Amino acid sequence: MAATPLFRRIDVAPAYQKVADAIEREIINGRIKPGEPIGTEQQLVAQFGVNRSTVREGIRVLEEGGLIRRDSSRRLQACLPRYNKLATRLSRALILHEVTFRELFETSMTLEVASVEGAVERATDENIAELAGNLERSAAVVGNPAELAELDAEFHVLMAKASQNRVLQLAREPAAQLFFPTTEMIVGGVPEGGARLIEAHRHILDAIKQRDKEAGVLWTRRHLQDWRRGFEKIASLDRSVEHTYMEHAYAARQ
Amino acid sequence: MAATPLFRRIDVAPAYQKVADAIEREIINGRIKPGEPIGTEQQLVAQFGVNRSTVREGIRVLEEGGLIRRDSSRRLQACLPRYNKLATRLSRALILHEVTFRELFETSMTLEVASVEGAVERATDENIAELAGNLERSAAVVGNPAELAELDAEFHVLMAKASQNRVLQLAREPAAQLFFPTTEMIVGGVPEGGARLIEAHRHILDAIKQRDKEAGVLWTRRHLQDWRRGFEKIASLDRSVEHTYMEHAYAARQ
DNA sequence: AATCTAGCTTTGTCGGACAAACCGATAAGA
DNA sequence: TCTTATCGGTTTGTCCGACAAAGCTAGATT
C-alpha cells in the first residue's frame, strides 16, 4: 500500500467495456428494471457518443452475461439472468477444469440433501403437485432410460424449487447438469434401475408430504448412492468429466 | 414429438453467434487447449468468411464467457474460466433475483460445513500452512474490521481449496461473495466480534490438523451462527440482498 | 371494420479507414 | 560487445458509411 498515492489509477478500459459497465450499473442498482427497454442502438450511440460498432460490442457482452436480451421484435430489454444459462457457463468451466465425478458426486450429495431438507420444511401444495406429476410421468416411462433420465433431472430441479431457496437452486444446478446426463447410461445398465429410481422418488415425495426430514434425507442418500454404484460399474469415480462426454450435454441445450 | 420430421430444424442464429459457437466448440472438446492462441482477428475473418465486426462481436461473447482472453500483448488465447469471474456473474444474478439473507445463510451453512468436512479429510500440509498464515495475519488485525473481514473471506476460500473439491469451491463462491461482505459490519458491531471470529478459525484449523471432523463441523457451525446473531442485530434475515448494498461489493472487484 | 400496402425504423452484416500500441529487426552509440 | 534508438509491419480499438431483411406504423383499399 503506497502512502498517499499521488495519482489516481488511470482507467484504460476499452470503450465497449465502459458501455457495458455503464448499462450494467443501471440495471444492477435498479434504475432499469427487468423487462424495461434499454433503448435502440441508435439511442445508445447518441447517449454514449461512440460508434455503433462499439455499442454493439458492449451489447454482446451484456447479452452473454444474461443481463439483457432481445424481445420478440429484437428490441433490447433488461432481464433477470436465467439460472439455466448461468449454470451452463459453470458446467462448461467445470469440464475445462477436468473435475472428477467424485467431486461432482460429493458436492451433489451435499446439495441434494440440503435441497430435500428445505423441501420437507417448506414445500407448498403446488410444489408437491408438480413433484407428483413428475412421478406419474416417470412411472409411465420406466422402461425408457432416456426419458426417465430427463424426468429424474426434472424431479431434482423441482425438489430444489420446493426448498424455496433460490441460492441453493442456483448452486446445485451446475453439478446437476453434469451429473444427471450419466443417469441414462446407469438406469439402462442396471437391472431394475428404473424401478429403483422411481421407488426412491416416491419415498422422497412421501417424506416431503409427511414433513419427515429423516426419511427424506435417507432416501435421497440412497438414491444418490444407487447412482454411484451404477456409475462405478461403468467407470471410476476418479475419472474426469471428459471433453467428449460434453458433446452430449451440449447438443441438448437450446 | 412429431413422427418422422420431414425437415431438419433450420438454424437462424446470427453470424456472430455462430462464430462464437464454433470457437467455443473447439475449446470445449479440447482441440484448442487453454493457453493456446486463437489466431488474429484477420485470420478468423479469413477462416469464417465474415466481416471483422462480426468476428469481433463473437469474440466479445467468448471473452465475457471467460473462455478466451487477451494476453499481455492483446493477442487472443483460450483460457480456463476463472472461478472468481464466474462467481461474480452469479452473485449479480442473485442480487437481481432479490434473494434474502436467509437463503444465503442456509446455503452457506451447508456448503461451508461440506467444505470443512472435505478439508478435514484431505487437507495437505501446504493447505494447512496457508490457513495458518491467514490465521496469523488475522490475529494481527483483530481490531480492524475491514481487514479482518477480508481475511475471513480468504480463510473460507482456503478451506474450500483444502477440501480438494473444485465443484464445491465453485458452488460456494457466489453465496460467499454476497455473504462475507457483511462480515465487516458485524465484526465491527459486536463486542469481541473479532476475537470470537479468530477463535473459531483457530479451532477449525486445529480440527483440520487433527483430522477431527466433528470438531471442525461444530466450530464451523458456531462460526456461522455467530455471524447470524450479529446480522440479526442489524437487520432481518428476510431482508433481500439489496441493490444499494451491491455497489459496495462491486467497487471491490477488479 | 378488417385487410393490404407502402413507408419508416431497427438490426445484422459488410467494406474500408486510421490512430495507437506492440513486435521485430536493424542502426547507432557506449 | 552490449545497450539504446529508430523504423516498418501487425494488430487492435474505434470510427464512418452503406445496405438488405424483418418489424412496426399508419394510411389506403375492399
PDB file of all heavy atoms in Angstrom, chain A residues 26-27 30-39 67-69 71 75-79:
ATOM      1  N   GLU A  26     -26.644   0.536 -14.302  1.00  0.00           N
ATOM      2  CA  GLU A  26     -28.032   0.990 -14.245  1.00  0.00           C
ATOM      3  C   GLU A  26     -28.986  -0.158 -13.919  1.00  0.00           C
ATOM      4  O   GLU A  26     -29.987   0.032 -13.239  1.00  0.00           O
ATOM      5  CB  GLU A  26     -28.435   1.624 -15.585  1.00  0.00           C
ATOM      6  CG  GLU A  26     -27.665   2.891 -15.920  1.00  0.00           C
ATOM      7  CD  GLU A  26     -27.774   3.934 -14.822  1.00  0.00           C
ATOM      8  OE1 GLU A  26     -28.858   4.474 -14.630  1.00  0.00           O
ATOM      9  OE2 GLU A  26     -26.746   4.201 -14.152  1.00  0.00           O
ATOM     10  N   ILE A  27     -28.655  -1.329 -14.440  1.00  0.00           N
ATOM     11  CA  ILE A  27     -29.537  -2.476 -14.189  1.00  0.00           C
ATOM     12  C   ILE A  27     -29.350  -2.988 -12.762  1.00  0.00           C
ATOM     13  O   ILE A  27     -30.309  -3.229 -12.038  1.00  0.00           O
ATOM     14  CB  ILE A  27     -29.253  -3.607 -15.198  1.00  0.00           C
ATOM     15  CG1 ILE A  27     -29.585  -3.133 -16.617  1.00  0.00           C
ATOM     16  CG2 ILE A  27     -30.058  -4.847 -14.853  1.00  0.00           C
ATOM     17  CD1 ILE A  27     -29.249  -4.136 -17.692  1.00  0.00           C
ATOM     18  N   GLY A  30     -30.866  -0.995 -10.093  1.00  0.00           N
ATOM     19  CA  GLY A  30     -32.322  -0.923 -10.176  1.00  0.00           C
ATOM     20  C   GLY A  30     -32.895   0.266 -10.922  1.00  0.00           C
ATOM     21  O   GLY A  30     -34.113   0.430 -10.952  1.00  0.00           O
ATOM     22  N   ARG A  31     -32.048   1.085 -11.511  1.00  0.00           N
ATOM     23  CA  ARG A  31     -32.617   2.215 -12.237  1.00  0.00           C
ATOM     24  C   ARG A  31     -33.267   1.753 -13.534  1.00  0.00           C
ATOM     25  O   ARG A  31     -34.159   2.411 -14.054  1.00  0.00           O
ATOM     26  CB  ARG A  31     -31.549   3.283 -12.509  1.00  0.00           C
ATOM     27  CG  ARG A  31     -31.327   4.198 -11.294  1.00  0.00           C
ATOM     28  CD  ARG A  31     -30.517   5.417 -11.669  1.00  0.00           C
ATOM     29  NE  ARG A  31     -29.094   5.140 -11.728  1.00  0.00           N
ATOM     30  CZ  ARG A  31     -28.293   5.114 -10.661  1.00  0.00           C
ATOM     31  NH1 ARG A  31     -28.776   5.350  -9.474  1.00  0.00           N
ATOM     32  NH2 ARG A  31     -27.002   4.849 -10.785  1.00  0.00           N
ATOM     33  N   ILE A  32     -32.778   0.639 -14.063  1.00  0.00           N
ATOM     34  CA  ILE A  32     -33.505  -0.024 -15.150  1.00  0.00           C
ATOM     35  C   ILE A  32     -33.990  -1.356 -14.606  1.00  0.00           C
ATOM     36  O   ILE A  32     -33.193  -2.157 -14.140  1.00  0.00           O
ATOM     37  CB  ILE A  32     -32.600  -0.283 -16.371  1.00  0.00           C
ATOM     38  CG1 ILE A  32     -31.993   1.026 -16.879  1.00  0.00           C
ATOM     39  CG2 ILE A  32     -33.395  -0.966 -17.467  1.00  0.00           C
ATOM     40  CD1 ILE A  32     -30.998   0.825 -18.000  1.00  0.00           C
ATOM     41  N   LYS A  33     -35.293  -1.583 -14.663  1.00  0.00           N
ATOM     42  CA  LYS A  33     -35.836  -2.812 -14.082  1.00  0.00           C
ATOM     43  C   LYS A  33     -35.956  -3.900 -15.150  1.00  0.00           C
ATOM     44  O   LYS A  33     -36.112  -3.584 -16.330  1.00  0.00           O
ATOM     45  CB  LYS A  33     -37.221  -2.531 -13.489  1.00  0.00           C
ATOM     46  CG  LYS A  33     -37.187  -1.508 -12.370  1.00  0.00           C
ATOM     47  CD  LYS A  33     -38.139  -1.878 -11.263  1.00  0.00           C
ATOM     48  CE  LYS A  33     -38.190  -0.781 -10.222  1.00  0.00           C
ATOM     49  NZ  LYS A  33     -36.915  -0.084 -10.014  1.00  0.00           N
ATOM     50  N   PRO A  34     -35.882  -5.167 -14.714  1.00  0.00           N
ATOM     51  CA  PRO A  34     -36.033  -6.263 -15.665  1.00  0.00           C
ATOM     52  C   PRO A  34     -37.307  -6.099 -16.469  1.00  0.00           C
ATOM     53  O   PRO A  34     -38.362  -5.830 -15.891  1.00  0.00           O
ATOM     54  CB  PRO A  34     -36.101  -7.500 -14.766  1.00  0.00           C
ATOM     55  CG  PRO A  34     -35.325  -7.108 -13.556  1.00  0.00           C
ATOM     56  CD  PRO A  34     -35.576  -5.642 -13.362  1.00  0.00           C
ATOM     57  N   GLY A  35     -37.192  -6.256 -17.765  1.00  0.00           N
ATOM     58  CA  GLY A  35     -38.344  -6.097 -18.639  1.00  0.00           C
ATOM     59  C   GLY A  35     -38.390  -4.740 -19.308  1.00  0.00           C
ATOM     60  O   GLY A  35     -39.024  -4.581 -20.349  1.00  0.00           O
ATOM     61  N   GLU A  36     -37.722  -3.776 -18.715  1.00  0.00           N
ATOM     62  CA  GLU A  36     -37.737  -2.444 -19.311  1.00  0.00           C
ATOM     63  C   GLU A  36     -36.756  -2.368 -20.474  1.00  0.00           C
ATOM     64  O   GLU A  36     -35.700  -3.006 -20.453  1.00  0.00           O
ATOM     65  CB  GLU A  36     -37.373  -1.390 -18.263  1.00  0.00           C
ATOM     66  CG  GLU A  36     -38.507  -1.085 -17.293  1.00  0.00           C
ATOM     67  CD  GLU A  36     -38.090  -0.061 -16.255  1.00  0.00           C
ATOM     68  OE1 GLU A  36     -37.000   0.519 -16.398  1.00  0.00           O
ATOM     69  OE2 GLU A  36     -38.845   0.137 -15.303  1.00  0.00           O
ATOM     70  N   PRO A  37     -37.119  -1.549 -21.478  1.00  0.00           N
ATOM     71  CA  PRO A  37     -36.246  -1.432 -22.658  1.00  0.00           C
ATOM     72  C   PRO A  37     -34.987  -0.615 -22.354  1.00  0.00           C
ATOM     73  O   PRO A  37     -35.009   0.307 -21.542  1.00  0.00           O
ATOM     74  CB  PRO A  37     -37.131  -0.704 -23.671  1.00  0.00           C
ATOM     75  CG  PRO A  37     -38.090   0.060 -22.826  1.00  0.00           C
ATOM     76  CD  PRO A  37     -38.330  -0.758 -21.604  1.00  0.00           C
ATOM     77  N   ILE A  38     -33.912  -0.970 -23.018  1.00  0.00           N
ATOM     78  CA  ILE A  38     -32.636  -0.266 -22.870  1.00  0.00           C
ATOM     79  C   ILE A  38     -32.558   0.917 -23.827  1.00  0.00           C
ATOM     80  O   ILE A  38     -31.862   1.884 -23.586  1.00  0.00           O
ATOM     81  CB  ILE A  38     -31.480  -1.234 -23.221  1.00  0.00           C
ATOM     82  CG1 ILE A  38     -31.486  -2.449 -22.312  1.00  0.00           C
ATOM     83  CG2 ILE A  38     -30.138  -0.531 -23.149  1.00  0.00           C
ATOM     84  CD1 ILE A  38     -31.266  -2.118 -20.889  1.00  0.00           C
ATOM     85  N   GLY A  39     -33.288   0.807 -24.895  1.00  0.00           N
ATOM     86  CA  GLY A  39     -33.190   1.802 -25.964  1.00  0.00           C
ATOM     87  C   GLY A  39     -32.604   1.158 -27.208  1.00  0.00           C
ATOM     88  O   GLY A  39     -32.043   0.067 -27.148  1.00  0.00           O
ATOM     89  N   LEU A  67     -27.726 -10.271 -18.776  1.00  0.00           N
ATOM     90  CA  LEU A  67     -28.384  -9.104 -18.188  1.00  0.00           C
ATOM     91  C   LEU A  67     -29.387  -8.461 -19.141  1.00  0.00           C
ATOM     92  O   LEU A  67     -30.304  -7.782 -18.707  1.00  0.00           O
ATOM     93  CB  LEU A  67     -27.338  -8.063 -17.785  1.00  0.00           C
ATOM     94  CG  LEU A  67     -26.659  -8.321 -16.456  1.00  0.00           C
ATOM     95  CD1 LEU A  67     -25.612  -7.271 -16.182  1.00  0.00           C
ATOM     96  CD2 LEU A  67     -27.687  -8.324 -15.338  1.00  0.00           C
ATOM     97  N   ILE A  68     -29.151  -8.596 -20.427  1.00  0.00           N
ATOM     98  CA  ILE A  68     -30.129  -8.075 -21.373  1.00  0.00           C
ATOM     99  C   ILE A  68     -30.417  -9.132 -22.437  1.00  0.00           C
ATOM    100  O   ILE A  68     -29.638 -10.062 -22.629  1.00  0.00           O
ATOM    101  CB  ILE A  68     -29.648  -6.784 -22.080  1.00  0.00           C
ATOM    102  CG1 ILE A  68     -28.467  -7.077 -23.000  1.00  0.00           C
ATOM    103  CG2 ILE A  68     -29.253  -5.722 -21.085  1.00  0.00           C
ATOM    104  CD1 ILE A  68     -27.988  -5.857 -23.748  1.00  0.00           C
ATOM    105  N   ARG A  69     -31.547  -8.983 -23.065  1.00  0.00           N
ATOM    106  CA  ARG A  69     -31.872  -9.887 -24.167  1.00  0.00           C
ATOM    107  C   ARG A  69     -32.711  -9.120 -25.164  1.00  0.00           C
ATOM    108  O   ARG A  69     -33.155  -8.004 -24.894  1.00  0.00           O
ATOM    109  CB  ARG A  69     -32.636 -11.096 -23.637  1.00  0.00           C
ATOM    110  CG  ARG A  69     -34.000 -10.731 -23.099  1.00  0.00           C
ATOM    111  CD  ARG A  69     -34.606 -11.886 -22.340  1.00  0.00           C
ATOM    112  NE  ARG A  69     -35.987 -11.558 -21.977  1.00  0.00           N
ATOM    113  CZ  ARG A  69     -37.043 -11.960 -22.662  1.00  0.00           C
ATOM    114  NH1 ARG A  69     -36.887 -12.725 -23.736  1.00  0.00           N
ATOM    115  NH2 ARG A  69     -38.251 -11.622 -22.293  1.00  0.00           N
ATOM    116  N   ASP A  71     -36.169  -8.923 -27.187  1.00  0.00           N
ATOM    117  CA  ASP A  71     -37.516  -9.489 -27.114  1.00  0.00           C
ATOM    118  C   ASP A  71     -37.937  -9.980 -28.488  1.00  0.00           C
ATOM    119  O   ASP A  71     -37.138 -10.050 -29.409  1.00  0.00           O
ATOM    120  CB  ASP A  71     -38.492  -8.461 -26.540  1.00  0.00           C
ATOM    121  CG  ASP A  71     -38.650  -7.266 -27.473  1.00  0.00           C
ATOM    122  OD1 ASP A  71     -38.152  -7.349 -28.624  1.00  0.00           O
ATOM    123  OD2 ASP A  71     -39.239  -6.268 -27.048  1.00  0.00           O
ATOM    124  N   ARG A  75     -35.929  -6.004 -29.951  1.00  0.00           N
ATOM    125  CA  ARG A  75     -35.556  -4.797 -29.215  1.00  0.00           C
ATOM    126  C   ARG A  75     -34.875  -5.195 -27.916  1.00  0.00           C
ATOM    127  O   ARG A  75     -35.199  -6.212 -27.308  1.00  0.00           O
ATOM    128  CB  ARG A  75     -36.788  -3.950 -28.939  1.00  0.00           C
ATOM    129  CG  ARG A  75     -36.868  -2.758 -29.871  1.00  0.00           C
ATOM    130  CD  ARG A  75     -38.075  -1.919 -29.568  1.00  0.00           C
ATOM    131  NE  ARG A  75     -39.163  -2.221 -30.489  1.00  0.00           N
ATOM    132  CZ  ARG A  75     -39.176  -1.786 -31.753  1.00  0.00           C
ATOM    133  NH1 ARG A  75     -38.190  -1.091 -32.229  1.00  0.00           N
ATOM    134  NH2 ARG A  75     -40.188  -2.084 -32.540  1.00  0.00           N
ATOM    135  N   LEU A  76     -33.946  -4.366 -27.481  1.00  0.00           N
ATOM    136  CA  LEU A  76     -33.177  -4.688 -26.274  1.00  0.00           C
ATOM    137  C   LEU A  76     -33.979  -4.412 -25.020  1.00  0.00           C
ATOM    138  O   LEU A  76     -34.623  -3.373 -24.908  1.00  0.00           O
ATOM    139  CB  LEU A  76     -31.905  -3.829 -26.235  1.00  0.00           C
ATOM    140  CG  LEU A  76     -30.895  -4.103 -27.326  1.00  0.00           C
ATOM    141  CD1 LEU A  76     -29.835  -3.022 -27.331  1.00  0.00           C
ATOM    142  CD2 LEU A  76     -30.287  -5.466 -27.116  1.00  0.00           C
ATOM    143  N   GLN A  77     -33.910  -5.325 -24.073  1.00  0.00           N
ATOM    144  CA  GLN A  77     -34.511  -5.050 -22.782  1.00  0.00           C
ATOM    145  C   GLN A  77     -33.696  -5.711 -21.672  1.00  0.00           C
ATOM    146  O   GLN A  77     -33.035  -6.726 -21.893  1.00  0.00           O
ATOM    147  CB  GLN A  77     -35.961  -5.523 -22.738  1.00  0.00           C
ATOM    148  CG  GLN A  77     -36.131  -6.992 -22.971  1.00  0.00           C
ATOM    149  CD  GLN A  77     -37.581  -7.419 -22.815  1.00  0.00           C
ATOM    150  OE1 GLN A  77     -37.858  -8.486 -22.292  1.00  0.00           O
ATOM    151  NE2 GLN A  77     -38.510  -6.568 -23.256  1.00  0.00           N
ATOM    152  N   ALA A  78     -33.750  -5.126 -20.493  1.00  0.00           N
ATOM    153  CA  ALA A  78     -33.094  -5.732 -19.344  1.00  0.00           C
ATOM    154  C   ALA A  78     -33.865  -6.984 -18.956  1.00  0.00           C
ATOM    155  O   ALA A  78     -35.054  -7.095 -19.244  1.00  0.00           O
ATOM    156  CB  ALA A  78     -33.084  -4.751 -18.183  1.00  0.00           C
ATOM    157  N   CYS A  79     -33.197  -7.945 -18.330  1.00  0.00           N
ATOM    158  CA  CYS A  79     -33.918  -9.136 -17.898  1.00  0.00           C
ATOM    159  C   CYS A  79     -33.196  -9.786 -16.738  1.00  0.00           C
ATOM    160  O   CYS A  79     -32.026  -9.502 -16.481  1.00  0.00           O
ATOM    161  CB  CYS A  79     -34.065 -10.125 -19.054  1.00  0.00           C
ATOM    162  SG  CYS A  79     -32.519 -10.832 -19.614  1.00  0.00           S
TER     163      CYS A  79
END
